[in-house]
Amino acid sequence: MTPEGNDSARSAGWLGRDVRRARKQGETALARRRRDRLAAMVTHARATSPYYRELYAGLPERIEDASLLPVTDKNRLMERFDDWVSDSRAGLDQVRALADDPGRIGERFLGSYMVATTSGTSGRRGLFLLDDGYLNVAAALNTRALTEYLGPTGLARATMRGWRYAQLVATGGHYASFSSYSRLMREGGWRAKVLRAFSVHTPLPQLVDRLNSYRPAVVIGYASTVMLLAAEQEAGRLRIDPVLIQPAGETMTQADTDRIARAFGSTVRTFYGATECVHLSHGCSEGWYHVNSDWAVVEPVDADYRPTPPGEYSHTVLVSNLANRVQPFLRYDLGDSVMLRPDPCPCGSPLPALRVQGRAGDALTFPTAHGAPVRLSPLAVSTLFDRTRGVELFQVEQAGPKALRVRLRVAAEADQDRVWQDVQQELSRLLADNALDDVTVERSDQAPQQSPGGKYRTVIPYAP
């Protein structure tokens, strides 16, 4: 540990070596790092965050077990934003001003932090600051995963292809993946030379043409968009041969990943994470997500936050990010239902394995006069709302084969008519770009509807 107990401040080389050592030494070494890093993060949060100092009053001085901590969630943390952050210079109004400006995507806030916005499973906007230590830990863990996925042969093939990365991202907003990409483009370096972003808002024929021209060695991005591309590859319109494909952001079945692997003749590995903890886990050859338990704590729990036994799906999952110090996420309710594997994974990893019982990313499908339907990724639709000012909560339902119904909750200080005009304009542009001018868009007078489990399904495909 560093004198301050901040391993995430170490160099990239040290982080990479420590990740390798921890995996090699097994669960005892992983658990020791997890306990020490949790204790250091709790101490840091108490010392620098008025919110956590208040929340943790009366708890033992050293905390090595996350279950001793109170539960937090996005709503509570956002309500106390100024007290939550550990940097007293970072106020909500200043962060929001940057996040509302698309011209500042990738700009460092206060010269130090990346800004990322998310709606997550609830549809509510979150404003998050990511420090360099957090991003360096995520990079070290991702590098380790890539090495394991590809092996010597795959690494050699990717090197021969110039390590060209195609990143399928939602553009136009401060989403974590696009903000990270934009930051790299602003700051330069070798990674900026091998990485290219492809917008999920691009009409599918154009996206196919651009990928055919780029011929990426690695494709990473939203799972629903990757599935659309697999269909294009099967049809012969897309003709790329990546070494590795990494679908993310939405739940996939084994049949989905098998189909992608067949279509591209590539290794396919998924990963499960969130802006609040991008390094949470990486997928394995057996179809499980392995939690990076030296840098994150995962607790599957029931509705009363009691532990869910391995082998059973939880009501939700609590996550503690042991790397991000500017905005500590400790025992944070992520909202997903997960199941811990009760026995060792056949892949041989010493890391705990889990599966996610999330709703698969359903594409919206629209009939056309030409026979072939047009499909839109749910992320291509929902991210439009994330970047529309004044939207607090949203839900888009395909009410008919060629009809969209929008439910909105608009911020109290926002102009209702102006917000709806902006939403309607964004959706109309997306539809027109995909030759869907005959699809109607209407606003419902109802508020967004919750599922029985309490979640908001932000995009709902047509169900005849």
Side-chain angles (χ1 to χ4, degrees):
M1 300 288 288
T2 63
E4 299 81 15
N6 182 12
D7 278 2
S8 62
R10 299 275 198 171
S11 69
W14 185 92
L15 289 168
R17 290 190 296 272
D18 186 70
V19 169
R20 289 193 297 272
R21 283 195 300 268
R23 305 300 189 270
K24 185 176 181 180
Q25 293 168 358
E27 172 53 28
T28 299
L30 292 164
R32 183 177 68 251
R33 287 165 169 79
R34 182 168 62 250
R35 289 193 303 268
D36 288 346
R37 287 166 181 159
L38 176 63
M41 185 62 77
V42 171
T43 298
H44 167 75
R46 278 174 152 164
T48 59
S49 164
Y51 172 79
Y52 280 113
R53 190 178 308 123
E54 174 188 319
L55 189 65
Y56 293 167
L59 293 181
E61 180 178 351
R62 181 176 173 86
I63 300 290
E64 296 184 350
D65 180 356
S67 67
L68 299 176
L69 300 173
V71 173
T72 61
D73 60 33
K74 182 164 61 178
N75 290 339
R76 279 177 271 192
L77 293 176
M78 286 300 300
E79 287 171 3
R80 297 285 303 275
F81 187 96
D82 290 1
D83 292 332
W84 167 31
V85 293
S86 65
D87 189 332
S88 60
R89 301 173 298 165
L92 177 59
D93 290 342
Q94 296 93 324
V95 176
R96 182 181 286 135
L98 190 151
D100 285 342
D101 187 346
R104 301 176 70 184
I105 298 172
E107 176 184 321
R108 285 178 177 266
F109 179 69
L110 299 176
S112 300
Y113 312 118
M114 191 178 88
V115 173
T117 65
T118 181
S119 63
T121 55
S122 69
R124 297 181 187 277
R125 192 188 195 201
L127 295 174
F128 302 139
L129 299 177
L130 318 182
D131 60 38
D132 280 347
Y134 174 20
L135 298 175
N136 289 341
V137 167
L141 290 166
N142 189 55
T143 298
R144 175 63 180 176
L146 278 175
T147 302
E148 293 178 348
Y149 292 162
L150 297 179
T153 302
L155 291 170
R157 287 180 59 203
T159 301
M160 291 288 291
R161 301 277 295 281
W163 278 104
R164 290 190 299 275
Y165 266 77
Q167 193 169 8
L168 308 172
V169 298
T171 54
H174 293 254
Y175 317 116
S177 55
F178 189 53
S179 287
S180 179
Y181 170 81
S182 300
R183 179 178 63 92
L184 288 174
M185 296 303 107
R186 283 174 178 265
E187 299 177 2
W190 68 269
R191 284 184 292 179
K193 298 177 181 178
V194 300
L195 183 63
R196 184 178 298 180
F198 294 81
S199 174
V200 297
H201 303 297
T202 305
L204 194 57
Q206 293 180 28
L207 180 58
V208 167
D209 289 343
R210 292 172 187 176
L211 287 169
N212 281 335
S213 297
Y214 186 57
R215 292 194 63 244
V218 178
V219 176
I220 180 172
Y222 294 126
S224 53
T225 301
V226 173
M227 287 297 293
L228 295 178
L229 292 174
E232 294 297 298
Q233 183 86 0
E234 291 167 341
R237 291 182 289 270
L238 181 63
R239 299 175 298 278
I240 60 176
D241 55 344
V243 180
L244 175 67
I245 298 178
Q246 289 187 278
E250 297 151 297
T251 304
M252 304 198 81
T253 66
Q254 188 65 47
D256 291 335
T257 55
D258 288 347
R259 178 186 175 188
I260 295 168
R262 287 193 304 269
F264 293 97
S266 305
T267 297
V268 178
R269 293 289 184 272
T270 58
F271 61 93
Y272 168 57
T275 304
E276 297 91 330
C277 193
V278 295
H279 62 266
L280 185 59
S281 73
H282 288 90
C284 76
S285 58
E286 299 293 324
W288 291 81
Y289 297 111
H290 286 276
V291 178
N292 290 305
S293 57
D294 44 347
W295 282 105
V297 181
V298 169
E299 301 173 75
V301 293
D302 64 18
D304 297 315
Y305 299 126
R306 296 174 300 199
T308 302
E312 296 181 14
Y313 278 105
S314 66
H315 174 77
T316 188
V317 61
L318 308 178
V319 172
S320 296
N321 179 338
L322 307 183
N324 197 39
R325 294 167 73 85
V326 64
Q327 255 182 341
F329 294 96
L330 292 166
R331 214 151 191 251
Y332 179 88
D333 187 342
L334 202 55
D336 294 328
S337 174
V338 306
M339 177 182 68
L340 277 176
R341 187 182 178 108
D343 57 345
C345 185
C347 79
S349 172
L351 300 169
L354 57 80
R355 282 205 169 127
V356 183
Q357 186 176 260
R359 180 183 59 84
D362 295 319
L364 299 179
T365 303
F366 301 93
T368 68
H370 311 295
V374 173
R375 304 179 72 207
L376 296 181
S377 160
L379 268 299
V381 177
S382 64
T383 53
L384 299 179
F385 292 82
D386 275 349
R387 69 181 189 227
T388 302
R389 298 177 65 173
V391 175
E392 279 192 344
L393 199 64
F394 64 88
Q395 193 169 61
V396 179
E397 180 181 11
Q398 188 177 6
K402 294 188 177 183
L404 292 179
R405 180 181 299 128
V406 181
R407 301 186 181 100
L408 288 177
R409 183 152 106 203
V410 178
E413 69 274 13
D415 184 312
Q416 295 266 345
D417 293 335
R418 176 59 186 271
V419 171
W420 169 240
Q421 181 181 348
D422 291 344
V423 166
Q424 195 173 31
Q425 182 176 312
E426 289 275 6
L427 275 174
S428 297
R429 183 182 298 118
L430 175 66
L431 293 168
D433 286 345
N434 286 273
L436 294 171
D437 305 81
D438 56 346
V439 174
T440 62
V441 178
E442 66 174 25
R443 182 178 181 182
S444 171
D445 57 3
Q446 295 181 319
Q449 307 295 303
Q450 285 180 292
S451 69
K455 295 182 182 179
Y456 290 93
R457 191 176 178 187
T458 55
V459 178
I460 305 174
Y462 180 53

